[in-house]
């Protein structure tokens, strides 16, 4: 460009000044005045009248805050004042970020804010991208760490599940033979004539088996506490009965050392809400521990109600006491395995696993309590803990005494004992004698009714097979034994069986697999004679043997029992046909003799007091009053041919029987509910007139009511025997 054509420097400066990015802000007479350079207006592409218009949709309070800050700054007009910040504007090219440099000028005594802007959008975007990259890197690192933690947790969970499975199997392997030994010894001592010397040996064997079972339970509980695997299962329990049961379980150990074991219950309430199994385990551990370290005197158990719903448990012994040093470590696991100075003390002759008191402390704390120990060396020791137990409001108050009412189970042993004495009762007890005769006959009829079945037993423990086979032989059953699951499955395919009793953990094929195969065969119609399949195991909870979403019935089991199993449980199992739910055809034979009808009635299962859960025993007598009234009403309705009233009353009484778990009576009342429909269905193919059909319905109702009456009388008689024994 030639000199003559050059732009004047003042005009060039003016042009460059206008194209630069800047804006000014001033307040005159209370109003805001804005001025923007042409360059900035061209970028924004819109009219600007207010401060917020500069930023557009990205409006924030930032500009006003910075302007207010500049106005207040004391050195705002000095040359060294320099305020910089970044803000974003809405432009024709979208969102753009600008670095602002703010200065305060004074013109004609008026403060003017002059803001110059530099487009730094690329730099901001690069910085944001770097931040995002760093964030993604951190997130990826976090995800990787979370994934590693999840994999670790999955491994821990898998290991825990495997350990739980192992412990369940270990429990079975250890407890099954111990329980078999206890059951066999009990059977020998109760049913065979033995010398006093042999009886003493059997007593020692039984006591050793019991102590070993306690140790196994402690080991399993310790393992569960290590993995927070213990869950409490509170239910309504009778505290006096629980305490009496604890006393019965431990008194043989005390008597073996010639120690006195006393139990005093000073509470007022009978029923509380608690985990009875865990509370029993706590008390047994403390009592057995006290007996172990006591040579002379005895052990006293005292339970009292300190405050509302707060129970204090004290176990005091007259043993050799515990030194303060040992008291500090007594609740630690394996405390007995540690020798303080490498030398054995007097207590070390009782060296054991040292888990009992640790387990006690864990269980007491899990139940919301705290246990303490006080001891004087050479005098004795007291363990004390307090628990808050909710009292059942409708439960009876228990008188403060050392006597606990016991309800007698009507079983084979008690019947044999009564049967041998009923002929020598004095005349003054003729009423009681009649009651005894009725109950003895009723129980014998019940045992006879369940006999003559073919039963398959599968258990790899010879002792357990021997015990079960002995019970079944007493019931006139034909027994076939299998030593493992595979043999049981082969035998089932070759021979017909009415019932199958399966141990769970067996070689070659476990009980669950055998049950599944039997179920498949039954569903295909190849085992129509099958009436029930039962799991009988020492493992306790079935969760270790079947999948989480499975139930016993889904794998083919009709009942799940925990060893040791007694004869009464076997009788109950064999009383019921679990597989054939359809009502059997019942025909009226006018030529039947009274004897035949009587025998048919006796073949029905009979209710006795032990069928009723203990927590409902105090309600049985009013239940029977209502039951007898209901029977009278049913008989009257049948005479009046009032079928609808029969259904309603039978349905009501059935509900009561379900509450008391009287399955035989439940079945009978269910028959009464549907007796008309069943009758019509059974005789649909015959040409009967209405009079004949009503006669059939009347006869079936009468026969069912006879069975109901017999069951109710049997239950009443068993209660009478219980009351007589209590006296």
């Amino acid at each position: 460009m030639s000199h003559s054509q050059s732009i004047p420097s003042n005009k060039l400066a003016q042009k460059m000044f206008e194209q630069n990015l800047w804006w000014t802000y001033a307040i005159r007479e209370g109003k805001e005045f804005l001025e923007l350079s042409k360059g900035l207006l061209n970028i924004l592409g819109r009219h600007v009248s207010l401060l917020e218009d500069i930023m557009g949709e990205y409006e924030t309070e930032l500009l006003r805050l910075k302007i207010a800050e500049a106005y207040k700054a004391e050195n705002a007009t000095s040359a060294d004042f320099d305020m910089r910040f970044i803000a974003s504007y809405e432009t024709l090219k979208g969102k753009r970020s600008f670095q602002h440099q703010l200065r305060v000028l004074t013109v004609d005594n008026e403060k003017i804010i002059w803001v110059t802007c530099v487009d730094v959008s690329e730099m901001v975007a690069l910085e944001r991208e770097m931040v995002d990259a760093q964030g993604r890197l951190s997130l990826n690192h976090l995800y990787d760490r979370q994934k590693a933690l999840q994999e670790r947790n999955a491994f821990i969970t898998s290991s825990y599940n495997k350990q739980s499975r192992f412990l369940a199997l270990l429990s079975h392997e250890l407890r099954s033979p111990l329980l078999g030994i206890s059951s066999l010894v009990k059977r020998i001592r109760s049913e065979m004539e033995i010398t006093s010397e042999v009886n003493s040996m059997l007593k020692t064997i039984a006591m050793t088996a019991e102590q070993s079972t306690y140790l196994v339970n402690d080991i399993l509980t310790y393992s569960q506490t290590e993995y927070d695997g213990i869950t409490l299962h509170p239910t309504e329990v009778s505290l006096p009965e629980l305490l009496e049961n604890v006393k019965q379980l431990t008194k043989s150990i005390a008597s073996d050392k010639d120690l006195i074991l006393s139990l005093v219950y000073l509470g007022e309430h009978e029923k509380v809400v608690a985990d009875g199994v865990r509370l029993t385990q706590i008390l047994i551990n403390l009592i057995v521990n006290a007996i172990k370290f006591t040579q002379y005197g005895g052990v006293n158990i005292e339970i009292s109600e300190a405050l509302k719903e707060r129970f204090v448990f004290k176990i005091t012994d007259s043993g050799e006491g515990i030194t303060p040093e040992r008291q500090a470590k007594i609740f630690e696991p394996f405390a007995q395995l540690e020798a303080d100075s490498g030398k054995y003390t007097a207590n070390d002759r009782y060296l054991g696993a040292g888990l009992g008191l640790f387990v006690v402390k864990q269980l007491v704390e899990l139940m919301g309590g705290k246990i303490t120990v006080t001891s004087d060396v050479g005098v004795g020791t007291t363990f004390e803990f307090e628990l808050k137990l909710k009292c059942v409001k409708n439960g009876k108050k228990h008188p403060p005494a050392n006597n606990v009412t016991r309800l007698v189970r009507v079983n084979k042993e008690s019947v044999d004992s009564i049967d041998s004495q009923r002929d020598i009762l004095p005349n003054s007890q003729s009423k009681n004698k009649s009651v005894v005769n009725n109950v003895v006959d009723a129980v014998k009829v019940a045992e006879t009714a369940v006999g003559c079945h073919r039963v398959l037993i599968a258990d790899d423990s010879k002792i357990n097979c021997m015990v079960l086979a002995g019970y079944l032989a007493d019931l006139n059953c034909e027994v076939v034994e299998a030593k493992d699951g595979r043999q049981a499955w082969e035998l089932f395919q070759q021979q017909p069986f009415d019932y199958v009793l399966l141990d769970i953990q067996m070689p070659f094929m476990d009980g669950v697999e055998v049950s599944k195969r039997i179920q498949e065969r039954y569903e295909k119609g190849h085992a129509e004679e099958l009436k029930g399949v039962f799991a009988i195991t020492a493992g306790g909870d079935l969760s270790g043997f079947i999948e989480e979403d499975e139930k016993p019935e889904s794998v083919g089991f009709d009942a799940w029992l925990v060893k040791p199993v007694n004869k009464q449980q076997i009788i109950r199992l064999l009383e019921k046909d679990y597989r054939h739910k359809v009502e059997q055809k019942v025909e009226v034979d006018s030529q039947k003799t009274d004897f035949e009808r009587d025998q048919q009635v006796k073949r029905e299962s009979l209710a006795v007091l032990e069928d009723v859960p203990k927590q409902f025993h105090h309600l049985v007598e009013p239940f029977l009053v209502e039951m007898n009234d209901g029977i009278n009403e049913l008989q009257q309705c049948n005479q009046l041919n009032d079928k609808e009233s029969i259904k309603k009353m039978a349905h009501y009484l059935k509900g009561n029987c379900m509450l008391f778990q009287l399955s035989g009576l439940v079945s009978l009342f269910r028959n009464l509910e549907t007796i008309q429909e069943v009758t019509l269905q059974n005789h649909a193919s015959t040409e009967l007139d209405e009079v004949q059909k009503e006669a059939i319905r009347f006869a079936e109702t009468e026969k069912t009511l006879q069975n109901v009456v017999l069951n109710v009388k049997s239950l009443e008689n068993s209660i009478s025997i219980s009351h007589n024994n209590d006296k």
Side-chain angles (χ1 to χ4, degrees):
M1 179 180 295
S2 64
H3 179 73
S4 60
Q5 296 176 336
S6 62
I7 300 174
S9 59
N10 58 339
K11 291 183 177 180
L12 179 61
Q14 181 66 27
K15 188 174 183 64
M16 293 179 64
F17 178 73
E18 291 176 353
Q19 292 301 319
N20 283 338
L21 307 180
W22 56 265
W23 55 272
T24 61
Y25 175 89
I27 298 177
R28 301 187 184 103
E29 298 179 357
K31 293 183 178 180
E32 296 180 336
F33 288 90
L34 287 172
E35 182 181 357
L36 279 69
S37 68
K38 290 183 178 179
L40 185 57
L41 285 172
N42 291 336
I43 291 176
L44 297 179
R46 62 178 176 274
H47 175 72
V48 175
S49 59
L50 300 174
L51 188 62
E52 289 75 16
D53 293 339
I54 297 177
M55 307 185 78
E57 66 176 74
Y58 302 105
E59 171 192 345
T60 67
E61 292 291 328
L62 180 63
L63 294 183
R64 290 194 176 277
L65 289 173
K66 292 296 182 181
I67 289 174
E69 185 180 342
Y71 267 121
K72 293 179 181 178
E74 295 180 358
N75 60 341
T77 57
S78 65
D80 58 349
F81 179 80
D82 188 6
M83 179 181 290
R84 298 172 187 263
F85 59 93
I86 294 177
S88 297
Y89 294 172
E90 177 190 0
T91 71
L92 295 175
K93 294 182 179 181
K95 180 181 180 181
R96 306 294 289 178
S97 297
F98 297 88
Q99 177 177 292
H100 297 65
Q101 183 178 20
L102 188 150
R103 294 182 181 278
V104 180
L105 305 177
T106 302
V107 179
D108 298 332
N109 296 323
E110 180 186 27
K111 281 188 176 181
I112 298 176
I113 305 296
W114 182 29
V115 182
T116 58
C117 304
V118 178
D119 191 343
V120 292
S121 299
E122 286 75 12
M123 183 181 70
V124 170
L126 179 61
E127 183 180 2
R128 185 177 293 113
E129 185 176 345
M130 292 176 63
V131 171
D132 290 344
Q134 184 66 32
R136 286 193 298 271
L137 184 63
S138 299
L139 282 175
N140 289 337
H141 179 69
L142 182 62
Y143 290 149
D144 291 342
R145 186 177 179 183
Q146 185 177 7
K147 184 178 179 181
L149 288 174
Q150 289 174 345
E151 291 175 352
R152 184 179 178 184
N153 289 336
F155 174 76
I156 293 174
T157 302
S158 176
S159 300
Y160 171 70
N161 291 335
K162 289 178 181 178
Q163 175 170 304
S164 298
R165 172 73 174 175
F166 170 75
L167 288 175
L169 300 180
L170 177 64
S171 168
H172 179 275
E173 293 300 324
L174 292 176
R175 294 172 66 190
S176 184
L178 292 172
L179 295 173
I181 292 171
S182 299
S183 299
L184 190 58
V185 169
K186 184 182 296 184
R187 182 174 174 81
I188 293 172
R189 295 178 66 188
S190 63
E191 299 183 8
M192 297 183 183
E193 294 184 4
I194 54 178
T195 64
S196 59
E197 183 180 0
V198 173
N199 185 59
S200 178
M201 294 179 183
L202 291 173
K203 183 178 179 181
T204 302
I205 293 173
M207 184 181 67
T208 304
E210 288 178 3
Q211 291 175 331
S212 300
T213 302
Y214 297 152
L215 178 59
V216 170
N217 291 337
D218 288 345
I219 293 173
L220 295 175
T221 304
Y222 169 74
S223 299
Q224 291 173 330
T225 57
E226 287 295 285
Y227 288 89
D228 297 326
I230 295 181
T231 302
L232 296 178
H233 300 283
T235 58
E236 288 186 12
V237 296
S238 171
L239 192 53
E241 288 186 13
L242 182 146
L243 297 172
E244 181 66 17
N245 183 51
V246 168
K247 182 179 178 181
Q248 293 299 322
L249 289 172
T250 54
K251 70 177 183 180
S252 61
I253 303 175
S255 61
D256 184 63
K257 296 181 67 174
D258 294 326
L259 300 176
I260 298 173
L261 183 65
S262 62
L263 186 148
V264 180
Y265 177 49
L266 302 176
E268 294 184 355
H269 293 86
E270 178 185 357
K271 291 188 178 181
V272 297
V273 177
D275 188 327
V277 174
R278 295 303 183 184
L279 182 55
T280 298
Q281 187 177 3
I282 292 170
L283 293 172
I284 286 178
N285 266 326
L286 290 173
I287 296 169
V288 171
N289 183 76
I291 294 172
K292 184 192 304 183
F293 293 95
T294 302
Q295 297 303 308
Y296 307 101
V299 178
N300 179 61
I301 306 102
E302 180 182 307
I303 298 88
S304 60
E305 288 187 58
L307 298 171
K308 183 180 180 181
E309 297 189 338
R310 302 210 60 97
F311 292 79
V312 178
F313 298 78
K314 290 183 180 180
I315 293 85
T316 304
D317 63 62
S318 56
E320 50 198 63
I322 309 170
T323 63
E325 294 77 13
R326 282 183 172 267
Q327 289 183 39
K329 299 182 178 180
I330 197 168
F331 292 112
E332 296 179 4
F334 312 110
Q336 292 187 37
L337 298 179
E338 299 176 0
D340 293 336
S341 59
K343 298 179 181 179
Y344 288 106
T345 65
N347 284 346
D348 289 324
R349 63 177 175 272
Y350 305 111
L351 196 66
L355 285 175
L357 294 179
F358 170 78
V359 167
V360 165
K361 182 175 183 292
Q362 297 297 311
L363 292 177
V364 168
E365 291 178 352
L366 186 64
M367 298 174 76
K370 183 178 180 181
I371 187 168
T372 59
V373 56
T374 56
S375 182
D376 291 327
V377 177
V379 177
T381 302
T382 297
F383 286 90
E384 181 178 331
F385 63 94
E386 182 178 314
L387 295 178
K388 184 176 181 180
L389 303 176
K390 182 180 179 181
C391 298
V392 180
K393 293 183 179 180
N394 59 353
K396 297 182 297 183
K397 286 195 173 183
H398 189 275
N402 191 24
N403 298 322
V404 180
T405 301
R406 289 174 294 171
L407 296 169
V408 177
R409 294 179 178 272
V410 184
N411 53 27
K412 178 66 166 56
E413 291 74 14
S414 61
V415 168
D416 290 344
S417 176
I418 297 171
D419 197 18
S420 64
Q421 301 177 24
R422 60 178 174 176
D423 292 330
I424 60 175
L425 290 173
N427 293 332
S428 61
Q429 297 182 8
S430 58
K431 182 179 179 180
N432 292 343
K433 184 175 180 179
S434 175
V435 170
V436 169
N437 290 339
N438 290 338
V439 175
V440 170
D441 292 337
V443 175
K444 286 186 174 180
V445 168
E447 289 197 2
T448 303
V450 301
C452 304
H453 295 302
R454 280 181 53 80
V455 182
L456 173 62
I457 299 175
D459 198 319
D460 56 332
S461 170
K462 292 183 179 180
I463 294 178
N464 290 322
C465 276
M466 190 183 304
V467 173
L468 291 174
Y471 289 150
L472 292 167
D474 290 344
L475 299 173
N476 300 318
C477 292
E478 182 182 346
V479 180
V480 178
E481 298 180 23
K483 61 183 179 181
D484 55 58
R486 184 171 61 189
Q487 187 180 33
W489 171 235
E490 292 173 353
L491 288 170
F492 186 83
Q493 295 177 89
Q494 298 167 5
Q495 306 174 35
F497 292 99
D498 297 308
Y499 296 96
V500 180
L501 278 63
L502 295 172
D503 186 30
I504 294 300
Q505 185 60 28
M506 294 185 291
F508 304 114
M509 188 185 298
D510 62 30
V512 175
E513 180 62 28
V514 177
S515 179
K516 288 180 178 179
R517 295 193 181 191
I518 289 176
Q519 181 67 15
E520 291 176 3
R521 186 173 176 81
Y522 175 77
E523 291 174 353
K524 293 178 181 178
H526 300 316
E528 296 180 354
E529 67 286 338
L530 184 65
K531 298 178 181 178
V533 179
F534 313 121
I536 300 182
T537 177
D541 191 354
L542 55 85
S543 60
F545 301 102
I546 63 178
E547 298 298 328
E548 214 172 282
D549 57 344
E550 289 183 325
K551 296 181 179 180
E553 56 269 24
S554 68
V555 294
F557 288 117
D558 298 296
W560 185 287
L561 298 180
V562 178
K563 299 175 184 177
V565 179
N566 57 43
K567 184 185 289 187
Q568 280 304 111
Q569 289 176 301
I570 297 295
I571 290 175
R572 290 181 192 174
L573 290 178
L574 304 189
E575 281 179 341
K576 185 177 178 181
D577 186 341
Y578 296 82
R579 298 298 176 114
H580 302 93
K581 306 298 183 183
V582 180
E583 299 293 340
Q584 300 298 318
K585 178 179 177 180
V586 181
E587 297 184 358
V588 177
D589 185 355
S590 59
Q591 302 301 318
K592 279 187 178 179
T593 64
D594 291 340
F595 174 80
E596 289 173 331
R597 292 195 182 97
D598 185 56
Q599 292 301 310
Q600 186 173 357
V601 170
K602 285 185 177 181
R603 282 195 294 270
E604 300 291 338
S605 58
L606 297 174
V608 290
L609 183 60
E610 70 169 12
D611 295 332
V612 180
K614 288 186 177 181
Q615 62 265 32
F616 298 128
H617 278 187
H618 67 287
L619 300 174
V620 173
E621 292 184 355
F623 161 77
L624 286 174
V625 173
E626 187 173 19
M627 185 64 63
N628 284 315
D629 292 341
I631 292 172
N632 292 333
E633 185 174 339
L634 284 169
Q635 290 172 335
Q636 293 175 8
C637 291
N638 195 35
Q639 293 292 336
L640 298 173
N641 194 24
D642 189 351
K643 296 183 285 293
E644 191 62 32
S645 296
I646 291 175
K647 289 181 184 179
K648 290 181 179 179
M649 177 56 65
H651 180 76
Y652 172 74
L653 295 177
K654 181 188 72 174
N656 290 349
C657 294
M658 291 175 68
L659 175 66
F660 285 82
Q661 299 185 18
L662 296 168
S663 57
L665 283 169
V666 170
S667 178
L668 291 171
F669 284 120
R670 186 179 290 116
N671 290 349
L672 285 175
E673 279 187 276
T674 59
I675 200 164
Q676 183 184 17
E677 289 74 13
V678 173
T679 302
L680 294 177
Q681 181 181 357
N682 289 339
H683 298 278
S685 60
T686 61
E687 297 182 359
L688 300 175
D689 57 27
E690 290 300 318
V691 175
Q692 291 172 319
K693 290 180 180 178
E694 287 301 323
I696 292 172
R697 184 204 60 76
F698 179 89
E700 290 184 354
T701 302
E702 281 296 312
K703 184 185 65 180
T704 305
L705 284 174
Q706 289 179 32
N707 291 334
V708 171
V709 170
L710 183 61
N711 274 269
V712 171
K713 291 295 182 185
S714 174
L715 184 56
E716 289 174 342
N717 292 338
S718 65
I719 293 174
S720 298
I721 284 187
S722 172
H723 290 171
N724 291 335
N725 279 276
D726 288 341
K727 293 178 183 179

